[in-house]
Amino acid sequence: MRTENNRRAPLPSDRRVRTSMNDLGYLVLAVLLVGPLAAHADVDLTGLWRLQSSFQHEIKTTEGRTPPLLPAAAETYRKNLAKSAAGDFSFDKSQTLCTSPGMPRLVMLPYPFEIVQEPHRLAFVFQWNHRFRLVDLGGAPPIVDDLSYRGTASGHWEGDVLVVQTRGLVDTSLLDAGGMPHSEDLQITERYHLENGGRTLVSELTFEDPKTFTRPWKTVVTYRKLPPGTELDEDVCRERLAKGLPAFELDKWK
Amino acid sequence: MNGRRLCMSGLRPTRLLAVFLAADQALEIRSELRRIGGGSGSFRRRVALAVTTIAAAIVCTPASLARSIDSPQSAPAEPSRQPLVVEQKGPEDQGTVAPTLPPNTEPANFEGIWKSDHVRPLVQAALGTTGPLVTVEGTQPPYTAEGQNIFWHRMLMEQRGTPVANTAALYLPSIPLNSLSLDLEPFTILQTNTQVLVLWEDGTAWQIYLNKPQPRNLKPTYRGHSVGLWEGATLVVDSTGFNTRTWLDSHGSPHSGDLRFITRISKINHGRQLEFLTTFDDPRYYREPFTVRRTATWRPDLHLLEVEIENTRDENNEGMVYEDGEQPPRPAAKRSPGEN
């Protein structure tokens, strides 16, 4: 993550820009600077959220269809679905070893998660097995220096919408519990906005991966806000596995 | 590399120290890799390195290194009454760290990337110390008789080559502050008006809720529950509600369900370091409260990566003893040359 790239010492060029501007320039500059800051102040995603829309064991498009997979990916998905139906989860380390299910599955689990929002970055803290995810709000696109399950995420505000781009997702992770594959070229764009007086969080996710899909596609997920003061519970996935319980307690959250 | 086998192979502490310094060098190399981009190979290397490092840190404790294993059946020697050697000095004393960006100068703003300065417990071992935690006075914790028995048992098991697995060895959570002692990775701090959030690369999240009392009837957990308040530029954190599976350190210092500790976190060294002064209170295992100091250095040049464990519970744990009563994996039986 690049979290500190917004802070830099003033450069001589900054001074030259300022001293050459007239009063109108100052006004324009003020509008440009204050506008985005005001948007930040108005939209606060802080709090605990829980999936409101249905949990998607097999991820679907907004229209409820199977995503437009290329033939090779479709074949892999078909095999994984068959294994899953037979109770064989060997294709998914999150179910056998409690490794992170990664993106987008982390934000599509029925477990609660907490958003901690700062002006320059934002953290998702997931209850499931104490995973987290950081989003740099510096505005620059994500710079991927390592592949991971959660990817590298950066975001910016477009009015009241938080736009988060995620790249750098390792291709051993999956897009759903059924085993939908993806390549390392996958890019996920999430567009978050509040509805219902701030009690509902809506996320529109766009998936782009030319090595896996014939075209970009979208799905929508909604979350409801949990009462103020609610805290995340400790969740230890390995403890469940040791007891012979599933890594994901989906029945508990129905 | 099998960390336990390494510890039990009779290598001298200095040799082991060199091995661990080499591991640390590997981490530094990894830091370089992350800057230039690593691809999927880097990802796999990180997983493997994390497993190796954690396993080695767990099993190569000072107990196994400070004394030669001449008589595994003998009772452990009483701890020295001499003050233990004080822990390795931090960069504030050495002046070796030169961050690429100036530190945040707001006294009560801990945001940013930090790296623990206390990362080489084996340095103590090489110097012959046997204490797991060292108090700010340079002494070992004031164990009660019961606490000392548990600690000695775990040290003796280590010497016998059947170390007791702590929760980290079982890929289960530790108490939040243990990460300051063991982790070789950076951590980051976010803070709002209601929470200070400390995130380590291994996924550990220490959530400190501000201006709230401790709830009643806390359900015991690995990480406990932490609340904090600001006293000027010092964040005072009260942590309690722990289960009894975790240790206070990687060596065997026990705690009961009554454990409570207060951590005073503040900036020192012109904002280049964070100081954590933690006073542990657990009357069952410690005669009186004692305070341990840790520091972390401002490292804006580092990024937080993702660390995931892809081992099963029994991998790397051969020969260890589990305190939860489950059967540990046994070393493979030796076969005679002619045996099939």
Side-chain angles (χ1 to χ4, degrees), chain B residues 1-17:
Chain B
M1 179 178 70
N2 184 316
R4 188 191 64 80
R5 286 186 179 280
L6 185 66
C7 286
M8 296 304 140
S9 63
L11 292 175
R12 306 295 296 178
T14 48
R15 174 75 178 277
L16 285 162
L17 175 63

Side-chain angles (χ1 to χ4, degrees), chain B residues 63-304:
Chain B
S64 65
L65 304 171
R67 306 183 189 102
S68 61
I69 312 174
D70 295 326
S71 178
Q73 301 303 318
S74 63
E78 288 193 11
S80 167
R81 296 185 183 279
Q82 297 295 319
L84 301 170
V85 176
V86 177
E87 298 165 34
Q88 185 187 25
K89 291 181 178 179
E92 64 172 327
D93 304 306
Q94 299 176 359
T96 55
V97 174
T100 53
L101 290 173
N104 180 332
T105 54
E106 297 174 51
N109 185 342
F110 301 160
E111 294 171 8
I113 307 278
W114 304 86
K115 190 170 187 290
S116 175
D117 299 322
H118 184 84
V119 295
R120 297 191 184 102
L122 287 177
V123 171
Q124 282 181 266
L127 295 174
T129 60
T130 59
L133 287 174
V134 179
T135 71
V136 289
E137 290 86 17
T139 59
Q140 73 170 31
Y143 300 108
T144 62
E146 187 179 6
Q148 193 142 51
N149 280 340
I150 294 173
F151 172 65
W152 281 358
H153 167 73
R154 290 170 178 165
M155 298 281 269
L156 180 61
M157 294 294 282
E158 176 77 31
Q159 292 177 14
R160 287 178 171 172
T162 53
V164 178
N166 61 15
T167 53
L170 302 174
Y171 310 134
L172 296 170
S174 304
I175 63 171
L177 282 165
N178 203 36
S179 297
L180 279 175
S181 299
L182 262 186
D183 271 7
L184 302 169
E185 304 296 344
F187 61 92
T188 191
I189 297 179
L190 292 86
Q191 64 186 69
T192 67
N193 291 333
T194 58
Q195 183 176 156
V196 174
L197 176 63
V198 187
L199 301 172
W200 275 273
E201 276 194 349
D202 69 353
T204 301
W206 186 17
Q207 293 188 275
I208 302 165
Y209 301 101
L210 300 180
N211 307 316
K212 289 176 71 173
Q214 286 284 13
R216 293 181 179 178
N217 303 319
L218 279 171
K219 180 185 173 186
T221 56
Y222 290 88
R223 290 196 171 75
H225 188 271
S226 296
V227 296
L229 54 85
W230 289 97
E231 288 184 359
T234 299
L235 179 63
V236 182
V237 185
D238 173 23
S239 302
T240 189
F242 295 96
N243 68 25
T244 56
R245 299 194 66 187
T246 57
W247 301 355
L248 294 190
D249 51 33
S250 62
H251 316 298
S253 293
H255 70 80
S256 75
D258 293 333
L259 171 67
R260 191 175 201 120
F261 55 81
I262 305 292
T263 307
R264 299 179 64 85
I265 311 172
S266 56
K267 282 185 169 179
I268 59 172
N269 195 15
H270 307 290
R272 293 187 183 280
Q273 284 185 293
L274 279 182
E275 180 184 63
F276 298 73
L277 286 170
T278 301
T279 301
F280 294 94
D281 189 7
D282 185 355
R284 177 169 177 180
Y285 292 130
Y286 302 92
R287 296 189 308 274
E288 58 192 11
F290 63 97
T291 301
V292 173
R293 179 178 184 261
R294 294 282 182 265
T295 60
T297 296
W298 166 258
R299 292 296 301 271
D301 54 314
L302 298 180
H303 296 181
L304 234 64

Side-chain angles (χ1 to χ4, degrees), chain A residues 56-112:
Chain A
Q56 300 184 45
H57 181 271
E58 298 164 32
I59 194 168
K60 302 292 184 186
T61 67
T62 308
E63 297 78 23
R65 299 194 182 98
T66 298
L69 290 159
L70 287 166
E75 177 62 12
T76 301
Y77 191 36
R78 188 188 64 76
K79 290 178 179 175
N80 287 344
L81 282 172
K83 287 181 182 176
S84 178
D88 174 6
F89 303 110
S90 56
F91 60 89
D92 183 5
K93 288 180 180 174
S94 70
Q95 299 197 58
T96 58
L97 291 170
C98 295
T99 55
S100 172
M103 281 295 294
R105 291 171 67 190
L106 278 169
V107 294
M108 299 182 77
L109 288 173
Y111 288 74

Side-chain angles (χ1 to χ4, degrees), chain B residues 292-340:
Chain B
V292 173
R293 179 178 184 261
R294 294 282 182 265
T295 60
T297 296
W298 166 258
R299 292 296 301 271
D301 54 314
L302 298 180
H303 296 181
L304 234 64
L305 297 179
E306 179 183 75
V307 174
E308 293 286 341
I309 303 296
E310 296 188 337
N311 290 48
T312 64
R313 166 178 160 133
D314 292 341
E315 286 179 284
N316 291 333
N317 286 352
E318 186 182 280
M320 280 196 178
V321 174
Y322 298 158
E323 287 187 327
D324 61 7
E326 293 191 19
Q327 187 69 22
R330 296 293 181 192
K334 291 182 180 177
R335 296 186 175 190
S336 58
E339 193 176 355
N340 290 326

Side-chain angles (χ1 to χ4, degrees), chain A residues 29-194:
Chain A
L29 181 62
V31 169
L32 289 174
L33 288 174
V34 173
L37 290 176
H40 296 183
D42 288 346
V43 181
D44 185 6
L45 306 182
T46 297
L48 261 71
W49 300 93
R50 197 185 138 186
L51 193 66
Q52 186 173 52
S53 49
S54 299
F55 170 68
Q56 300 184 45
H57 181 271
E58 298 164 32
I59 194 168
K60 302 292 184 186
T61 67
T62 308
E63 297 78 23
R65 299 194 182 98
T66 298
L69 290 159
L70 287 166
E75 177 62 12
T76 301
Y77 191 36
R78 188 188 64 76
K79 290 178 179 175
N80 287 344
L81 282 172
K83 287 181 182 176
S84 178
D88 174 6
F89 303 110
S90 56
F91 60 89
D92 183 5
K93 288 180 180 174
S94 70
Q95 299 197 58
T96 58
L97 291 170
C98 295
T99 55
S100 172
M103 281 295 294
R105 291 171 67 190
L106 278 169
V107 294
M108 299 182 77
L109 288 173
Y111 288 74
F113 63 86
E114 184 166 2
I115 293 179
V116 178
Q117 183 176 331
E118 288 183 342
H120 300 296
R121 60 181 175 165
L122 181 145
F124 288 75
V125 184
F126 302 98
Q127 178 162 306
W128 184 86
N129 208 29
H130 56 85
R131 300 291 92 183
F132 66 82
R133 173 189 185 214
L134 286 165
V135 180
D136 178 16
L137 298 181
I143 298 174
V144 177
D145 55 8
D146 204 28
L147 298 174
S148 61
Y149 292 115
R150 67 180 175 224
T152 302
S154 69
H156 63 276
W157 292 94
E158 292 181 1
D160 290 344
V161 178
L162 174 66
V163 182
V164 179
Q165 286 185 317
T166 302
R167 297 177 189 157
L169 293 155
V170 67
D171 61 4
T172 53
S173 69
L174 301 164
L175 296 185
D176 64 21
M180 183 177 290
H182 67 83
S183 81
E184 293 176 354
D185 291 346
L186 173 66
Q187 174 175 301
I188 303 173
T189 303
E190 301 155 89
R191 296 177 63 85
Y192 289 93
H193 73 273
L194 293 172

